[in-house]
Amino acid sequence: MFVGIRSPLTGLSEPELVGQVDCRTGSHPRWFGGTGIPAGEQSRMTDVITMTGNTTIVSLNGEGEEREMAEPPKIELFIKASDDCAGVGNCPFCQRIFMILWLKGATFRLTTVDMKAPEVLKDVAPGSQPPFLVFNGEVRTDTNKIEEFLEQALSPPLYPKLACKYKESNTAGDDIFLKFSAYIKNPNPGLNDMLEKKFLKSLAKLNDYLLTPLTHELEKNPNGGESSRAYLDGDALTLADCNLLPKLNIVKTVCMKYRSVDISRMSLLPGLTQYLDKAYKQDQFSHTCPPASEILWAYHTVAKYLKK
C-alpha cells in the first residue's frame, strides 16, 4: 500500500509531486507519473503542510481563501494504483472523488491500492473495490454515497457547495460511456457505422446541452443566443463535471488510439471542444487524470481495432 498526496510545495521551481511512500518499509518517496502543480499557481491555494512520519498531508483551498480549521476532519481516500504501482490507475470513479475533495479544499491523505495485492486492505474495507473513503474513522465504500456524504459533511461556510443548480446538468452526457463501450469493443467493420452514429449522437446531445443557455443566462441576456458558460452547470466545476469529465478523458484517449478520432477537436461539436479545453486547464481535473498509457493498458484487452 502506498501513501501520497499531490502538493504545491512553496519554492519549487519545477512542477513536482509529493511521492508515494511505502508504508510497510518506510522507504523514500517515489514520484507519481504525470504533472504536478506549477509553483506559479500556488497563489490560488492555501498551503497547509504538515509532516507525520513518512506521510505528507496538504490542505488545498481552491478558492485561495484562508480559513480557520481548528479540528479538520481526518480524511483518507483510497484509489486504484497504476499497473506498475508507481502512480494513479485508470478509474473514473476514483478520479471523481479525488476531484471532489480537491475542489472542496479539504485536507486529506491519498492512498493508492495495488489491485494485484488487495489483501493489504482487509483490515480497512474487506472485499471493497476503490474508491472508498475513511472519514473520521468511518469507512464509506459506495461512490455515489461518498459523493453525497462529502457534499453534506464538507459544506459552507468552510467548504464550497458543489451540487448543481439545474437537475439537467446531472444527467448531461450520461449515455456517452455506454455508447462508447459498444463502439470501441466492436471488431466488425459491418457494425461500425451504426455504432459510430449512436456514439456520435450521444456526443452531439451533450454538445447541444452545453450550447443551450441556462435559465440564469437567459435572464441576463434573453437574446444572447448560445451559452457562454464554461462547464455543465455554469462557470464553476460541479459534482456533475466530476462525474462526466473522467469518463470523457477515457473516451478521448481510447478513441484516438483505436479509431483515430479526437472528440475534443470535432468541428461540428464546438460546445464539447470548449468544455474540454477549459476543463483540461483546471488543476483539479488535469492533475487527477491517469497517464494515457495507463488508460490504454486498461483497455488493451477489450478495445478493438477494426478489421480490414
Side-chain angles (χ1 to χ4, degrees):
M1 180 166 56
F2 298 92
V3 176
I5 183 71
R6 295 172 185 262
S7 164
L9 299 180
T10 304
L12 291 178
S13 59
E14 297 293 335
E16 291 192 27
L17 295 174
V18 171
Q20 294 179 321
V21 181
D22 187 333
C23 296
R24 292 168 296 180
T25 64
S27 63
H28 295 292
R30 300 169 56 194
W31 304 106
F32 284 153
T35 57
I37 301 171
E41 298 184 9
Q42 293 170 12
S43 61
R44 297 195 294 109
M45 302 178 181
T46 298
D47 306 338
V48 181
I49 304 177
T50 59
M51 294 300 295
T52 306
N54 287 324
T55 302
T56 301
I57 304 175
V58 181
S59 175
L60 301 177
N61 184 341
E63 299 298 325
E65 299 174 353
E66 295 184 1
R67 63 186 180 215
E68 295 183 5
M69 295 181 64
E71 290 294 335
K74 295 180 180 180
I75 306 171
E76 184 169 9
L77 174 63
F78 290 77
I79 66 174
K80 180 182 177 181
S82 58
D83 188 67
D84 61 2
C85 295
V88 175
N90 174 62
C91 175
F93 309 107
C94 294
Q95 187 180 0
R96 172 181 172 185
I97 303 302
F98 193 171
M99 287 180 66
I100 290 171
L101 284 171
W102 192 331
L103 286 166
K104 286 287 187 181
T107 300
F108 63 103
R109 184 169 63 176
L110 182 70
T111 300
T112 58
V113 180
D114 179 4
M115 299 308 295
K116 296 187 291 294
E119 64 274 6
V120 298
L121 298 176
K122 62 183 179 181
D123 295 329
V124 181
S128 298
Q129 294 287 319
F132 58 89
L133 187 80
V134 180
F135 193 99
N136 286 338
E138 184 175 350
V139 180
R140 298 177 182 273
T141 59
D142 180 272
T143 302
N144 291 331
K145 291 181 179 179
I146 290 173
E147 177 188 275
E148 181 180 351
F149 170 77
L150 289 175
E151 184 67 0
Q152 294 176 350
L154 305 179
S155 58
L158 291 180
Y159 303 93
K161 180 180 178 181
L162 299 180
C164 292
K165 296 178 181 178
Y166 304 94
K167 64 180 182 179
E168 295 83 4
S169 298
N170 290 313
T171 56
D174 61 356
D175 60 341
I176 290 176
F177 208 67
L178 179 64
K179 301 296 175 58
F180 154 75
S181 295
Y183 171 58
I184 208 66
K185 294 177 182 179
N186 168 50
N188 186 346
L191 297 177
N192 185 67
D193 286 349
M194 176 193 67
L195 295 173
E196 184 176 64
K197 286 179 180 178
K198 290 183 177 181
F199 170 56
L200 294 177
K201 184 177 180 180
S202 68
L203 293 177
K205 183 179 177 182
L206 173 61
N207 179 76
D208 291 344
Y209 182 74
L210 291 166
L211 294 178
T212 301
L214 299 174
T215 300
H216 73 274
E217 294 179 288
L218 291 173
E219 290 174 348
K220 291 182 179 179
N221 189 0
N223 301 315
E226 294 182 346
S227 173
S228 61
R229 71 186 186 277
Y231 307 112
L232 290 173
D233 205 59
D235 289 325
L237 291 169
T238 62
L239 296 177
D241 299 293
C242 294
N243 182 26
L244 181 60
L245 284 170
K247 297 174 184 176
L248 289 180
N249 182 57
I250 292 172
V251 172
K252 177 180 181 293
T253 302
V254 178
C255 283
M256 278 289 294
K257 172 70 173 180
Y258 290 92
R259 294 294 186 272
S260 299
V261 173
D262 186 352
I263 67 166
S264 68
R265 289 293 177 267
M266 290 183 168
S267 59
L268 296 179
L269 302 176
L272 179 59
T273 295
Q274 176 179 278
Y275 177 54
L276 288 173
D277 281 348
K278 292 186 176 180
Y280 279 115
K281 293 177 182 177
Q282 298 300 312
D283 294 342
Q284 294 92 342
F285 174 48
S286 61
H287 293 332
T288 57
C289 287
S293 58
E294 187 65 22
I295 295 173
L296 295 176
W297 173 253
Y299 273 82
H300 81 282
T301 59
V302 293
K304 306 295 183 182
Y305 289 105
L306 289 178
K307 297 177 180 178
K308 302 296 184 180

